Amino acid sequence: MYSQNSKVFIEDDDLCITCENYVKEMDCPLLAALALGDVFLEDSLQVTNCGFYKEFKRNLRVVKDEE
């Protein structure tokens, strides 16, 4: 994760990529704090052990066309 021009960018190796708070609900307390300016990123940060993490699993299945 890094910040550039007041925007926060999530990288592929950050835990956020598989977190329900980020992927499904966009309701992450860490990202909200960064967006509101309560917390500042001065350098890059690799998110590996976040206390707000909830694993998001996709459950996909093939559906037959009934037509």
Side-chain angles (χ1 to χ4, degrees), residues 44-59:
S44 64
L45 167 73
Q46 186 176 7
V47 182
T48 57
N49 188 17
C50 180
F52 306 114
Y53 180 76
K54 293 187 225 172
E55 186 177 10
F56 178 72
K57 288 187 179 181
R58 296 185 189 276
N59 296 311

Side-chain angles (χ1 to χ4, degrees), residues 13 28 41 46 49 53 55 62-63:
D13 56 349
C28 172
L41 265 177
Q46 186 176 7
N49 188 17
Y53 180 76
E55 186 177 10
V62 176
V63 179

Side-chain angles (χ1 to χ4, degrees), residues 6-50:
S6 301
K7 295 180 182 176
V8 178
F9 296 90
I10 306 297
E11 298 186 276
D12 289 341
D13 56 349
D14 287 325
L15 198 59
C16 307
I17 296 296
T18 58
C19 179
E20 184 176 312
N21 290 325
Y22 174 70
V23 176
K24 187 176 177 184
E25 299 171 4
M26 284 304 292
D27 189 28
C28 172
L30 175 59
L31 293 176
L34 287 166
L36 293 172
D38 295 334
V39 176
F40 295 98
L41 265 177
E42 293 183 2
D43 202 2
S44 64
L45 167 73
Q46 186 176 7
V47 182
T48 57
N49 188 17
C50 180

